[in-house]
Amino acid sequence: MAIEVVAQARKGQGRGASRRLRHSGKVPGILYGGKKPAVSIELDHNPLYHQLRNEKFHASVLTLALDGAKEQVLLRAVNMHPFKLEVQHVDFQRVSADEKIHIKVPLHFVNAEKSPAIKEQGGLITHVLSEIDVRCLPADLPEFIEVDLSALAIGKSIHIRELTMPKGVELSLGGNENPTVASAQIPKAAIAEEEEAAAAAAAAGVGVEGVLAPAAEAVPAAADVPTVKQKAPEAAAPAAEEKGGKGGKGEKADKGDRGDRGDKK
């Protein structure tokens, strides 16, 4: 179903006239192309503003109703206010059914969740382009071009010449031009986290897989090596008995001396 735009011929010219139009809730514009002369037009702001929010409005053949007559047109340019939600100017171009048109068509990305990059590898898919230039007859103009991401893996990209064009639509490219449409890679934040974890693991002596790295083998002291001939605890016992025996003899001698001294008295 064609989208219809309602406009009226504009009589006033110049910046002052355009400013007055905007203050009254109108948008100045121009209609050109085809075999007819250019015509200055004006449109109601609010209906036009809401139509501009529709993606189809930017990549469809529109029906322009101008003072009772209807023509097939394309939206060619829109000027917005620098900081207000206000349309400043709009351009439309006439089209002929038998002449190819050159226009930008939006891209729709599908099946990202099925791709190996997302499903298996925890990657991130970047949409490099959001629209592409095509050439076709007005009747063949698609609303959008679909980009299938289901086979995209980490480190791989989809280029514009790999896209499947609808019947009657051709890419508007020059020479060997083949820009990237989408690519998949590991998020930079994840790479940074892995590098930090690896650095921390190396500082703690832990391997990449979380296992303690083998330390340099220490050489044990000779005394720490058990042998069959080593019997240190048993060797200490005779020494203790020897000391005890000497102490006993000395004790008996003292008693004997005391007894002799008592008898003498």
Side-chain angles (χ1 to χ4, degrees):
M1 181 178 178
I3 301 174
E4 185 170 296
V5 185
V6 179
Q8 299 83 36
R10 175 164 53 99
K11 297 179 180 179
Q13 302 292 331
R15 293 183 179 180
S18 296
R19 190 180 301 111
R20 288 191 292 272
L21 271 178
R22 296 186 188 103
H23 287 165
S24 64
K26 301 280 188 178
V27 179
I30 189 169
L31 172 64
Y32 64 89
K35 298 179 181 179
K36 298 179 181 179
V39 179
S40 296
I41 60 175
E42 62 182 59
L43 307 90
D44 290 334
H45 179 274
N46 288 346
L48 176 63
Y49 176 79
H50 288 292
Q51 286 179 318
L52 287 170
R53 299 180 64 184
N54 185 354
E55 183 185 66
K56 295 181 181 180
F57 192 77
H58 296 260
S60 297
V61 176
L62 310 172
T63 299
L64 179 66
L66 178 60
D67 294 335
K70 294 186 178 181
E71 297 185 78
Q72 300 299 299
V73 301
L74 292 174
L75 175 66
R76 281 307 189 188
V78 179
N79 294 337
M80 298 294 296
H81 192 278
F83 56 87
K84 294 181 182 179
L85 298 177
E86 182 179 293
V87 184
Q88 297 285 287
H89 196 276
V90 64
D91 294 1
F92 293 100
Q93 179 185 1
R94 299 184 184 96
V95 298
S96 300
D98 58 349
E99 292 183 5
K100 287 188 176 183
I101 56 177
H102 176 200
I103 189 171
K104 291 183 181 293
V105 175
L107 297 175
H108 284 192
F109 297 87
V110 298
N111 297 327
E113 69 283 355
K114 298 179 182 178
S115 67
I118 299 295
K119 189 176 181 180
E120 302 171 7
Q121 301 167 327
L124 177 69
I125 294 179
T126 301
H127 300 168
V128 181
L129 297 179
S130 60
E131 58 185 11
I132 58 174
D133 291 332
V134 301
R135 294 182 72 251
C136 62
L137 292 173
D140 296 329
L141 179 62
E143 293 180 5
F144 57 86
I145 302 294
E146 191 171 274
V147 182
D148 186 4
L149 303 173
S150 61
L152 191 59
I154 293 296
K156 302 296 182 180
S157 301
I158 296 176
H159 294 83
I160 195 170
R161 293 186 185 274
E162 299 174 37
L163 302 181
T164 302
M165 294 293 107
K167 183 179 179 181
V169 179
E170 58 188 36
L171 292 168
S172 182
L173 297 172
N176 296 324
E177 187 180 4
N178 191 22
T180 300
V181 175
S183 62
Q185 61 275 328
I186 297 294
K188 292 182 178 179
I191 295 175
E193 287 179 4
E194 288 182 2
E195 290 177 350
E196 289 177 4
V206 179
V208 177
E209 298 180 357
V211 181
L212 286 173
E217 187 176 352
V219 180
D224 295 333
V225 180
T227 62
V228 177
K229 296 180 180 180
Q230 187 175 1
K231 297 181 180 180
E234 295 179 3
E241 291 175 2
E242 185 179 352
K243 288 180 182 179
K246 291 180 181 179
K249 292 178 180 178
E251 213 172 308
K252 290 178 180 179
D254 291 341
K255 288 181 180 179
D257 292 342
R258 287 195 195 102
D260 293 342
R261 287 170 188 165
D263 291 339
K264 287 182 181 180
K265 290 180 181 179

